[in-house]
């Protein structure tokens, strides 16, 4: 009796395979281990590998074995495995792209057979998703963004815009919760935050660009102290205009390497040089 | 240990021997047998051309100082030629049929012989017709002499592999060329890039589509041709896992000498193992520069250095066509192949919107004061999903400083961190300043129109212009502005030019420069040769349409390979004068409706017919011979001949909107008229017949309603009208249904060629 059940089970098990094997003209079948965890993985793997009249894949979640049936005159097991890897699943032929693996749903994050060593990881991470970036971002990033907006408004010599952006900066500064900052940032923050708030207040008080620019010298110096402790996602440029402030010169921070002088605006837009790169 | 010593001793002897032989024996001979062959890249067997039995043509290796002697045995049934791309050589060895030599006749052998006075990564290809598309391309590598001062440690001593990129289409290239000239949108259909009204509506971009057609543009794309396969050294997948019988291992660096031998495809190059270090371009060393990706224009070469980061993995170098429909991979190292994610599909409607913003109503491009140059700002960025931040906030494009984003343009945001190579980043390794000489500036405007696939310089094709005379010893400065909507890789034969890119004395040397729409680039070169040199767009189908000029040294020196230079030049002009044929017939239940057309750069000869199945429906043909006027070719005056036979019944009189009558059932009339393309691509025709009758007509064919569905309509002052639908099922077949005021409702099959 038992043997009959076994045989029946075997037939049942074989049926779909032989049926799918018959789909293709020059049918060939291989079994390959493919990494993965759950039913969702199975669905993704099979969807990635199935192609009309070309190939079909069935993946067993318990054994982690994929059975690949394909038309050997038109495709290869490797071609199917490549598609599976591009869907996020490592196999003996291909390793999934780092960013595709990272984007897999949590339940599908299997343990990868080959781990990437840190140096290589660094390179791979260059293609990472923007939302990961935001996680790595410093809490002070909004302050920096507001500062840069103030700077841009000064480049435009638009006093009203400066006022507006300085108001926004002041609000952001007041909203920073010191306790959640990292150690280095915290130290720098303690040093300069009072001045920063005071300076942004002054700049937000009127629309006179000349006055705003004078305060911007100090604001920039204090921002520079702060920025040097921040985890930056892209380099910043500490730029210098030798003419402003009666020839004493003045600095500012910019995201662009090209000079856009906030102290003179369109009068001398490209006057200045990069004094340092902050990375 | 003993054994190892023995082998290294052997190796030493071999090196010594080969070094001696390169010094002693200066002439390096290759024999190339050019033959017809068949290939099967896609499951279908197609004709191709193989050289020494292989595609691509064999890699040719030389050392600077050698004399190359290349015997070309033409075993084809057609003539051929070989051009040595990027080389400085005597004019008669340059390999341009009818310009520097007569074509190599079927069965003939031709010997190219020239000294090699430079080094670097170059390539070679047929310059005859469209042979380059079907296999006639190969790498041409000139190694530095041993002990050369310019040998760079860590670059010139690395494991190296020449790689030539190309594309394959199952269609005959002549047919590709013909279809391009007939504005056939079959390629767009294959690429899923038709950009129909339905697709626009689904994407919420209906307004963008309307405004696009209002400006008389066809759907936009970054490339013209759909290819079935992309190839690296003739294969879709390559492995670089060992060098000199030594397996590559973690930490190793390799150098790839990459040439783009594709006929019309640009390729993105990206590497799964980290940064790509660019060390040379077009055979000239540049200071190493690290990038995340680069685009290699048609016919450019780049030498890149890649590092294998980790043992147990081999890393994918992915070459993806600019339109992102096809790619090929190369894996560097040993072990499991680490993939890089493919480039996501282009956002065509974003590109269409950008184009709308960039194009004036008269067809000129406007750059909104952005002073674009040197590929520094890629306007196609708006189409790259990978370049966008989710929230639309982030770093602006490198040159957003120019304040040009007010005009309805989306702020272009780039994901921080992706460094793309541009020409401004390249710096020569030694000063490249030109020798003293009188400086002459020549300006060129790259012009063209996609609808008729006419590509030109200053709105003139090669056959419409004289040679540009230059003198030995002068310094020529070329200022080139791209006023067309496609990018063009401009190539100069026989010379390298400096790309003035802000690196001062260290401006990089190149012989191909890709110029994107609206960019202006300045190049300069020292005229140090003799003879006639082609300067042309290297997109094969643009070149064959006449996008080029000939620089000719004066006084002219006779070329022994061209006994009749004037006659030869006429043959060269034939390339862009060739008319392109198209024909179409709708076999419908109510009659046959069709047309044929012969068109070239300026002229159009076409006949339309409407043949009923009985004399009540009538038989009617209209023939027009016209000439296109202006750069955008919207205007076409023509002379015409109409003939029709129809039984109208009891002396029925036809009266047109102007009250003019026409009773003749058997009518043959000459006419004069003019055709003009209106906004929305509607063709307006005004035609006066010899009997004084006037006919005005509005017509539009091929309105893309959905991906495969096209609508057409016609209405005129003879109170005739027509409306129809076509569903495209194949390049040559469509199901059709239409209503015609003469013949009523009909349905059938449209066959087009």
């Amino acid at each position: 009796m038992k043997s009959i059940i076994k045989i029946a089970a075997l037939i049942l098990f074989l049926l779909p395979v032989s049926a799918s094997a018959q789909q293709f003209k020059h049918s060939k079948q291989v079994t390959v281990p493919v990494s993965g965890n759950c039913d969702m993985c199975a669905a993704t793997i099979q969807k990635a590998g199935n192609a009309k009249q070309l190939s079909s894949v069935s993946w067993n979640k318990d054994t982690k074995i994929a059975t690949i049936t394909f038309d050997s005159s038109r495709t290869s097991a490797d071609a199917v495995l490549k598609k599976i890897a591009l869907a996020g699943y490592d196999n003996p032929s291909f390793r999934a792209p780092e960013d595709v693996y990272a984007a897999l749903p949590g339940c599908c994050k299997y343990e990868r057979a080959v781990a990437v060593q840190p140096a290589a990881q660094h390179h791979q991470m260059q293609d990472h998703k923007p939302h990961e970036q935001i996680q790595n971002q410093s809490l002070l990033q909004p302050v920096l963004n507001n500062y840069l907006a103030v700077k841009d408004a000064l480049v435009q010599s638009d006093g009203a815009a400066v006022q507006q952006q300085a108001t926004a900066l002041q609000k952001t500064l007041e909203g920073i919760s010191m306790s959640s900052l990292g150690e280095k940032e915290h130290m720098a923050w303690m040093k300069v935050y009072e001045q920063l708030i005071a300076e942004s207040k002054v700049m937000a008080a009127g629309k006179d660009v000349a006055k705003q620019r004078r305060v911007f010298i100090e604001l920039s110096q204090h921002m520079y102290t702060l920025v040097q402790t921040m985890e930056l996602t892209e380099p910043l440029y500490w730029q210098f205009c030798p003419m402003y402030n009666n020839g004493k010169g003045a600095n500012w921070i910019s995201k662009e390497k090209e000079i856009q002088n906030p102290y003179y605006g369109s009068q001398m837009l490209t006057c200045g040089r990069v004094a340092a790169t902050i990375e | 240990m003993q054994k190892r010593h023995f082998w290294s001793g052997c190796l030493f002897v071999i090196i010594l021997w080969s070094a001696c032989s390169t010094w002693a024996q200066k002439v390096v001979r290759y024999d190339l047998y050019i033959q017809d062959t068949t290939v099967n890249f896609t499951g279908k067997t197609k004709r191709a051309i193989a050289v020494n039995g292989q595609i691509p043509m064999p890699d040719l290796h030389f050392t600077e100082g050698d004399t190359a002697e290349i015997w070309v045995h033409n075993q084809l049934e057609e003539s051929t030629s070989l051009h040595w791309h990027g080389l400085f050589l005597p004019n008669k060895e340059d390999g341009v049929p009818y310009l520097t030599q007569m074509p190599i006749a079927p069965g003939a052998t031709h010997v190219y012989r020239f000294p090699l006075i430079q080094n670097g990564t170059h390539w070679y290809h047929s310059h005859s017709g469209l042979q380059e598309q079907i296999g006639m391309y190969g790498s041409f590598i000139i190694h530095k002499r041993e002990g050369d001062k310019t040998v760079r440690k860590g670059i010139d001593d690395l494991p190296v592999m020449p790689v030539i990129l190309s594309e394959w289409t199952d269609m005959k290239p002549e047919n590709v060329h013909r279809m391009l000239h007939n504005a056939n949108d079959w390629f767009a259909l294959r690429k899923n890039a038709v950009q129909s009204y339905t697709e626009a509506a689904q994407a919420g971009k209906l307004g963008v589509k309307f405004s696009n057609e209002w400006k008389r543009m066809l759907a936009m794309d970054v490339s013209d041709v759909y290819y079935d396969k992309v190839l690296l050294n003739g294969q879709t997948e390559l492995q670089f896992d060992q060098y000199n019988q030594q397996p590559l291992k973690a930490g190793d660096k390799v150098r790839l000498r990459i040439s783009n031998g594709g006929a019309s495809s640009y390729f993105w190059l990206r590497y799964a193992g980290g940064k790509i270090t660019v060390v040379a371009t077009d055979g000239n060393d540049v200071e190493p520069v690290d990038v995340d990706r680069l685009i290699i224009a048609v016919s450019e070469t780049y030498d890149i250095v890649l590092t294998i980061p980790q043992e147990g993995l081999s890393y994918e170098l992915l070459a993806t066509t600019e339109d992102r429909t096809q790619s090929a991979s190369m894996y560097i190292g040993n072990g499991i192949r680490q993939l890089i994610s493919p480039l996501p599909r282009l956002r065509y409607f974003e590109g269409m919107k950008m184009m709308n913003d960039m194009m004036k109503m008269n067809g000129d491009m406007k750059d909104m004061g952005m002073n674009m140059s040197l590929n520094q700002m890629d306007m196609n960025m708006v189409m790259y999903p990978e370049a966008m931040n989710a929230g639309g906030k982030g770093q602006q494009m490198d040159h957003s400083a120019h304040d040009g984003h007010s005009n309805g343009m989306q702020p272009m945001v780039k994901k921080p961190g992706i460094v793309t190579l541009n020409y401004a980043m390249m710096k020569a390794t030694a000063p490249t300043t030109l020798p003293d000489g009188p400086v002459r500036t020549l300006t060129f405007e790259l012009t063209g129109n996609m609808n008729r696939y006419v590509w030109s310089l200053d709105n003139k094709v090669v056959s419409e212009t004289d040679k540009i005379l230059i003198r030995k010893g002068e310094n020529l400065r070329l200022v080139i502005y791209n006023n067309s909507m496609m990018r063009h890789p401009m190539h100069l034969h026989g010379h390298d030019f400096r790309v003035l890119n802000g690196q001062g004395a260290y401006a990089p040397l190149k012989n191909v420069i890709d110029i994107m729409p609206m960019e202006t680039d300045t190049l300069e070169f020292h005229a140090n040769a003799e003879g006639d040199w082609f300067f042309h767009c290297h997109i094969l189908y643009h070149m064959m349409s006449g996008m080029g000029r000939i620089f000719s040294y004066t006084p002219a020196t006779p070329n022994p390979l061209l006994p009749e230079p004037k006659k030869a030049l006429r043959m060269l002009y034939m390339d862009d004068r060739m008319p392109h044929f198209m024909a179409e017939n709708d076999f419908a239940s109510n009659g046959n409706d069709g047309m044929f057309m012969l068109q070239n750069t300026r002229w159009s000869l076409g006949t339309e017919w409407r043949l009923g199945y009985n004399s009540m429906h009538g038989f009617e043909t209209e023939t027009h011979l016209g000439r296109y006027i202006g750069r955008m070719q919207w205007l076409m005056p023509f002379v015409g001949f109409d003939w029709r036979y129809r039984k109208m019944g009891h002396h029925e009189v036809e009266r047109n909107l102007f009250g003019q009558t026409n009773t003749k059932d058997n009518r043959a009339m000459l006419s004069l008229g003019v055709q003009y393309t209106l906004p929305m691509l509607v063709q307006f025709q005004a035609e006066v017949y010899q009997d004084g009758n006037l006919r005005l007509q509005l017509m539009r064919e091929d309105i893309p309603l959905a991906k495969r569905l096209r609508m057409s309509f016609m209405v005129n002052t003879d109170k005739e009208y027509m409306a129809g639908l076509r569903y495209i099922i194949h390049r040559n077949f469509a199901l059709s249904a239409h209503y015609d005021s003469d013949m009523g409702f009909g349905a059938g099959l449209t066959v087009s060629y």
Side-chain angles (χ1 to χ4, degrees), chain B residues 253-436:
Chain B
K253 287 173 187 285
V254 299
R255 174 191 193 167
L256 304 180
R257 294 172 171 271
I258 301 179
S259 308
N260 183 353
S264 74
S265 299
Y266 285 61
F267 293 94
W268 281 111
L269 299 179
R270 292 150 70 241
Y271 181 50
K275 293 276 184 191
I276 296 174
T277 308
V278 177
V279 298
T281 178
D282 293 350
N284 295 296
D285 286 351
V286 294
E287 292 292 348
V289 51
D290 286 350
V291 296
D292 293 303
R293 64 185 189 183
L294 66 141
I295 195 163
I296 176 166
V298 175
S299 85
E300 277 187 317
T301 80
Y302 281 102
D303 289 34
I304 61 173
V305 172
L306 304 172
T307 308
I308 301 167
Q310 185 175 329
E311 206 55 53
L313 290 176
S314 66
Y315 291 82
E316 184 178 38
L317 178 80
L318 187 64
T320 310
T321 51
E322 192 185 13
D323 63 21
R324 303 175 172 203
T325 55
Q326 296 292 339
S327 58
S329 310
M330 169 165 187
Y331 302 98
I332 292 143
N334 290 283
I336 301 174
R337 286 161 280 181
Q338 170 67 59
L339 301 174
I340 187 165
S341 31
L343 286 168
R345 195 180 141 71
L346 292 174
R347 307 199 304 182
Y348 280 106
F349 287 108
E350 295 300 329
M352 184 183 274
K353 183 172 185 316
M354 180 266 292
M355 267 300 179
N356 290 349
D357 292 337
M358 293 287 148
M359 183 166 272
K360 299 186 204 167
M361 206 52 212
N362 69 2
D364 276 340
M365 307 295 287
K366 57 173 178 191
D367 70 349
M368 303 181 193
M370 284 186 284
N371 301 323
M372 294 162 61
S373 67
L374 304 166
N375 284 2
Q376 291 174 102
M377 172 157 53
D378 180 358
M379 297 303 292
N380 291 334
M381 187 94 70
V382 297
M383 299 165 72
Y384 304 159
E386 77 279 10
M388 300 292 160
N389 277 341
K393 277 186 191 162
Q395 190 192 38
Q396 291 234 308
M397 282 185 66
D398 297 350
H399 274 226
S400 55
H402 304 285
D403 102 79
H405 296 286
S406 49
N407 210 344
M409 274 191 46
Q410 291 237 327
M412 281 166 291
V413 285
K414 190 169 94 173
K415 191 159 72 176
I418 299 184
V419 179
T420 304
L421 184 75
N422 67 54
Y423 293 132
M425 291 159 74
M426 285 189 280
K427 185 179 178 190
T429 49
T432 56
T433 6
L434 301 182
D436 284 337

Side-chain angles (χ1 to χ4, degrees), chain A residues 159-219:
Chain A
V162 176
Q163 182 179 33
Q164 204 183 341
Q165 298 298 350
T167 312
L169 173 62
Q170 185 197 335
K171 277 209 187 109
T172 311
L173 286 165
E174 287 167 350
I176 294 287
S177 110
M178 209 184 303
S179 53
S180 42
L181 293 175
E183 195 190 358
K184 268 162 101 192
E185 286 176 340
H186 194 138
M187 297 296 286
W189 176 256
M190 295 277 286
K191 258 190 248 167
V192 296
Y193 84 97
E194 278 171 299
Q195 289 101 313
L196 283 171
I197 290 173
E199 287 145 9
S200 56
K201 250 188 202 161
V202 176
M203 289 183 76
K207 292 178 189 173
D208 182 348
V209 183
K211 266 188 203 161
Q212 289 166 336
R213 281 184 171 136
R214 280 198 291 279
V215 184
F216 190 66
I217 305 177
E218 292 303 312
L219 181 75

Side-chain angles (χ1 to χ4, degrees), chain B residues 130 213 329 340 435 523 626 659 696:
Chain B
L130 303 168
E213 292 216 320
S329 310
I340 187 165
L523 321 171
L696 305 180

Side-chain angles (χ1 to χ4, degrees), chain B residues 624-748:
Chain B
H624 289 164
L625 173 67
R627 184 179 163 88
Y628 291 102
I629 307 291
R631 182 164 70 77
M632 298 312 287
Q633 304 206 329
W634 287 323
L635 182 67
M636 182 182 81
F638 62 85
V639 294
F641 176 73
D642 281 22
W643 173 84
R644 96 172 169 215
Y645 175 79
R646 176 161 46 157
K647 264 229 166 72
M648 295 254 290
H650 301 287
H651 298 287
E652 208 176 308
V653 171
E654 249 187 9
R655 194 178 286 274
N656 72 12
L657 271 186
F658 309 108
Q660 292 167 319
T661 59
N662 147 28
T663 54
K664 282 178 204 149
D665 282 355
N666 190 352
R667 173 181 152 99
M669 285 283 162
L670 291 170
S671 68
L672 273 177
V674 58
Q675 177 177 305
Y676 186 75
T677 306
L678 295 170
M680 298 307 292
L681 297 162
V682 172
Q683 299 283 351
F684 168 75
Q685 248 183 38
E687 200 170 0
V688 185
Y689 296 91
Q690 71 189 59
D691 60 0
N693 273 12
L694 173 69
R695 190 184 77 173
L696 305 180
Q697 175 172 295
L698 291 174
M699 183 168 83
R700 163 103 199 253
E701 283 176 332
D702 289 331
I703 304 170
L705 290 188
K707 189 180 165 189
R708 287 174 179 271
L709 190 64
R710 305 286 176 272
M711 191 182 97
S712 55
F713 74 86
M714 183 278 286
V715 54
N716 68 26
T717 54
D718 286 352
K719 299 177 188 167
E720 294 172 322
Y721 53 88
M722 185 279 289
L725 288 173
R726 277 192 310 136
Y727 184 83
I728 301 169
I729 46 182
H730 177 263
R731 160 152 64 86
N732 301 116
F733 300 104
L735 296 173
S736 51
H738 72 276
Y739 183 84
D740 184 302
S741 56
D742 286 350
M743 303 197 287
F745 180 80

